[in-house]
Amino acid sequence: MFIAMNRFRINPALEEEFVETWRQRESYLDEVPGFQSFALLKGPCFNDYVLYASHTIWESKDAFEAWTESEAFRKAHAQRSAPQGTYLSGPQLELFEAVLT
């Protein structure tokens, strides 16, 4: 099992727009071999941002890397994004390989 997460610091005033953008976007993940599941997670709220994370589970690191080079990846990332000012910094990518399950 391989997990890929992106953490996002989101402007609290644009939080609803951020979630709606994710709700409406087509991920194309169901077309990709090795994809297992996706979740958009809401973390703690701070004075200046709300923490969110996209969380995907993959069969293997190779399956995840193949997705990042696929047409499905390009289509998913070419879609409408949230309004300017929503993201307070770039996403922080975190990758994990399962050691124990």
Side-chain angles (χ1 to χ4, degrees):
M1 175 179 26
F2 187 78
I3 297 173
M5 294 177 56
N6 268 309
R7 290 176 176 244
F8 307 101
R9 291 176 25 157
I10 300 303
N11 179 340
L14 296 170
E15 183 180 1
E16 288 181 30
E17 290 86 343
F18 169 77
V19 172
E20 191 58 29
T21 298
W22 279 82
R23 182 176 285 119
Q24 291 183 13
R25 80 190 284 251
E26 173 59 56
S27 72
Y28 302 98
L29 288 168
D30 55 345
E31 301 174 4
V32 181
F35 168 73
Q36 294 182 348
S37 69
F38 166 85
L40 181 63
L41 308 171
K42 182 178 179 178
C45 300
F46 299 95
N47 289 335
D48 55 344
Y49 70 94
V50 181
L51 183 63
Y52 277 86
S54 63
H55 180 275
T56 53
I57 299 177
W58 298 86
E59 183 179 281
S60 66
K61 182 178 181 181
D62 288 342
F64 168 75
E65 289 176 347
W67 172 70
T68 65
E69 299 170 5
S70 72
E71 181 62 24
F73 180 89
R74 286 186 283 284
K75 289 190 304 187
H77 289 85
Q79 297 176 72
R80 176 181 77 92
S81 60
Q84 187 171 10
T86 300
Y87 296 87
L88 299 178
S89 62
Q92 179 183 345
L93 179 63
E94 298 175 332
L95 303 173
F96 300 89
E97 288 194 64
V99 177
L100 299 171
T101 56

